[in-house]
Amino acid sequence: MSHDPLRERVGLLLDGEERFSSAVEEVRNPGRPQEVVGTFAVGDPAHIDAAVRQAAAVQKGWGGSDPADRAAALRRAAERIEEHAERLAVLASRESGSLIALCRWEATAAAQAFRNAADHLSAVSGYAEHGDAAIGDRVLVHRRPFGVVACIVPWNAPMILSANKLAAALATGNAVVMKPSPLAPLAASRLAQIVATCLPAGLVSVVGGGADVGEALLDHDLVRKVSFTGGGATARVIMARAARTLTPVHFELGGNDPALVLEDADLEAAARGIAAAAFRRGGQVCFAVKRVYVHQAVAAEFEDLLVAHLDGMRVGDALDETVTMGPLISRRQCEDIRAVAARARAVGREVVACGVPVGELADGHFHLPTVVLGAHHEDEVVGIEQFGPILPIVRSSSEAEMIRLANDSEYGLCSSIWSQDDERALAIAGRIEVGVTFVNRHEFSPQGSKWIPFGGVKQSGIGWENSPAGLGEFLQYHSIDSRSSAAASA
Ligand code: NAD
């Protein structure tokens, strides 16, 4: 039987080669669940053990190599990702339901993440020297890699989230064993395979599978650091598991980003930007706007403008270039969003479904962009990370109240302030308890940014990605405090 060219067949990446295991799972297009996009090989504890042991052996040479050589390898990886960008983008769009335009951006941003890490490497390499030569006291402070890093990534932006981890961990001299999400493992695995062709065999491995494979990786005693992007519930399980060996964790987690629309905002720009930021990937973005606080003096006008923007959204196949919102990742995700909307309606909120369905959506996991008007800060739909196309709008009476409500959350990923008074907006931005605050934008992705340390405070994360701070997550200190033999004998 000939191989279907539309079906991607992805193996494990072990010892620099693609290996096919007997256990295989299908990946389906969330917009057309009858369409199998491809299959991926599922690993077991023996694969994890082989991957980690080899990574530990190869890392010794890589960790001690010249940073300039590592930077050159990362730049080659960036070029190779770009050569394959269109193929990767189509694959990611088909398996995750993200719009093809967004996946093209993601593939390019993934390549850029490798260049950024190469550029930043000199800032975190080398050593500092301190001490007093006159009394024979010399201190050398080195930064060195952890060794083998376990990277566990989610499905919603599989290429850029994998690239962020791979680039920073490899640049700083670590080896990586990566576990992609079983919901969208194909493009992330292909990306890692492409990167691996520029590196010593076994420095990067990929083992596919679900929570059990992830746990086998966490439990390996040669794993020295865990870098995880995903949900808070999973992070709690991972942290408890890592606690057994006190393995340090780096977490990029969920958010409940507030947008604050002040009475002096450009309401048209705010409605346009918030519509784009809240419904990007159908709201399945960690830094999507997930609640809006709008000053009551302008609330009615802002809500009308927002609904008008959402009514213009075209919901359909992610590969259709005229579509502006694709499907959700799973039937369950659709059902969860429908249930949240129903409960909001049951407590008296106005739930408005917007947008235009395009084409045949019958079987796909589609949900129209939806706003909840008249929401209260205490409502379920305001407090949770919905992770879908539903956006509550809360009317607020003052700037002080908006700041208080924005900060009244267990999350602290991103936020945005919308005002035409730049100084006022900056002053408010400084008072929001999050990792990143935007002013008059929120749709811009800080993922893959060269200079913005991306991450969350409170329960949105531990540590940072991007920028020299992101590389710092994969380095630890080693200091040599030396007394000269002459001074010691004196
Ligand atoms: P998830 O937590 O369900 O899964 C993430 C990864 O963890 C997957 O690879 C999964 O297989 C693995 N996993 C699950 N249980 C595990 C276990 N017990 N041990 C080891 N690994 C395990 O998250 P998801 O649904 O894939 O992604 C959505 C979540 O990710 C949202 O909360 C979103 O906000 C968050 N996210 C955060 C960022 C960020 O940078 N802050 C970016 C994207 C997504």
Side-chain angles (χ1 to χ4, degrees):
M1 203 173 73
S2 66
H3 173 62
D4 179 351
L6 286 175
R7 283 197 188 192
E8 197 79 15
R9 185 167 167 253
V10 168
L12 309 166
L13 176 63
L14 292 174
D15 200 7
E17 295 198 352
E18 192 170 20
R19 305 264 177 87
F20 294 92
S21 69
S22 51
V24 162
E25 275 184 31
E26 285 183 344
V27 182
R28 288 170 182 266
N29 181 335
R32 273 175 276 154
Q34 70 283 7
E35 177 189 310
V36 177
V37 180
T39 58
F40 69 97
V42 178
D44 60 28
H47 294 128
I48 292 285
D49 185 54
V52 175
R53 283 187 189 285
Q54 220 217 343
V58 180
Q59 188 275 332
K60 293 198 187 335
W62 179 252
S65 64
D66 185 336
D69 292 340
R70 297 203 298 271
L74 295 195
R75 289 185 209 285
R76 278 198 301 279
E79 280 168 23
R80 297 229 49 216
I81 294 169
E82 279 166 352
E83 285 161 21
H84 293 271
E86 181 62 16
R87 195 178 131 227
L88 288 170
V90 171
L91 188 56
S93 179
R94 289 178 68 215
E95 68 175 331
S96 71
S98 288
L99 296 183
I100 181 63
L102 196 50
C103 293
R104 287 192 179 115
W105 165 82
E106 204 188 312
T108 309
Q112 192 57 38
F114 282 86
R115 285 205 185 91
N116 292 345
D119 288 351
H120 289 314
L121 193 47
S122 59
V124 296
S125 301
Y127 59 88
E129 184 161 354
H130 310 280
D132 186 342
I135 58 167
D137 173 35
R138 195 173 170 212
V139 176
L140 300 176
V141 181
H142 293 259
R143 304 194 74 187
R144 56 189 196 188
F146 282 85
V148 181
V149 179
C151 293
I152 300 180
V153 289
W155 55 268
N156 66 328
M159 292 185 288
I160 184 64
L161 298 175
S162 303
N164 281 345
K165 294 190 188 313
L166 287 167
L170 294 167
T172 44
N174 298 279
V176 172
V177 179
M178 186 172 99
K179 193 204 80 63
S181 165
L183 293 174
L186 306 177
S189 299
R190 287 283 182 246
L191 183 129
Q193 289 173 6
I194 290 166
V195 171
T197 61
C198 306
L199 300 168
L203 192 70
V204 172
S205 292
V206 180
V207 183
D212 54 334
V213 174
E215 290 182 3
L217 180 56
L218 295 170
D219 287 351
H220 201 290
D221 59 8
L222 290 178
V223 167
R224 297 280 180 254
K225 175 124 191 178
V226 177
S227 180
F228 167 75
T229 299
T234 311
R236 285 177 180 80
V237 174
I238 290 177
M239 200 172 202
R241 225 155 170 118
R244 297 196 289 202
T245 44
L246 295 177
T247 304
V249 293
H250 168 220
F251 283 167
E252 300 288 340
L253 308 179
N256 182 14
D257 288 13
L260 280 56
V261 182
L262 302 171
E263 72 282 5
D264 61 2
D266 175 337
L267 297 180
E268 166 56 27
R272 188 175 59 243
I274 289 172
F279 295 93
R280 182 185 171 100
R281 292 188 205 271
Q284 303 166 115
V285 171
C286 55
F287 65 93
V289 173
K290 299 199 175 93
R291 50 193 169 123
V292 176
Y293 300 96
V294 57
H295 196 284
Q296 60 193 14
V298 295
E301 190 184 343
F302 168 77
E303 288 162 6
D304 286 348
L305 288 165
L306 181 67
V307 168
H309 274 287
L310 298 183
D311 270 337
M313 290 190 90
R314 294 167 55 80
V315 180
D317 188 323
L319 285 174
D320 178 340
E321 311 250 5
T322 71
V323 157
T324 50
M325 201 182 99
L328 305 193
I329 189 68
S330 64
R331 185 164 311 285
R332 182 168 163 207
Q333 195 87 351
C334 282
E335 285 165 2
D336 285 354
I337 296 297
R338 274 189 210 112
V340 169
R343 289 194 290 272
R345 204 175 277 117
V347 295
R349 311 299 174 239
E350 188 185 350
V351 178
V352 186
C354 310
V356 188
V358 179
E360 184 53 64
L361 307 187
D363 290 337
H365 308 319
F366 291 97
H367 191 289
L368 292 174
T370 300
V371 282
V372 180
L373 301 177
H376 294 198
H377 174 71
E378 299 72 24
D379 288 353
E380 177 205 26
V381 66
V382 177
I384 60 170
E385 182 189 37
Q386 314 94 355
F387 221 60
I390 187 164
L391 180 66
I393 316 293
V394 179
R395 294 186 176 194
S396 181
S397 57
S398 69
E399 172 187 312
E401 185 186 63
M402 285 190 208
I403 295 170
R404 182 174 61 76
L405 298 181
N407 287 336
D408 181 29
S409 171
E410 71 204 36
Y411 294 104
L413 193 56
C414 302
S415 65
S416 55
I417 315 297
W418 300 81
S419 165
Q420 293 186 81
D421 181 337
D422 293 345
E423 291 310 309
R424 179 188 185 197
L426 284 176
I428 295 171
R431 296 175 60 193
I432 310 295
E433 297 161 0
V434 293
V436 180
T437 294
F438 304 101
V439 171
N440 293 323
R441 71 195 310 190
H442 199 132
E443 68 283 14
F444 166 79
S445 176
Q447 289 286 1
S449 153
K450 185 165 185 178
W451 292 109
I452 299 177
F454 181 77
V457 302
K458 299 197 268 188
Q459 293 184 30
S460 285
I462 299 175
W464 308 96
E465 278 183 345
N466 307 334
S467 80
L471 267 63
E473 295 295 335
F474 296 96
L475 287 166
Q476 50 195 346
Y477 287 96
H478 178 231
S479 303
I480 301 172
D481 181 358
S482 152
R483 192 176 178 199
S484 72
S485 49
S489 334

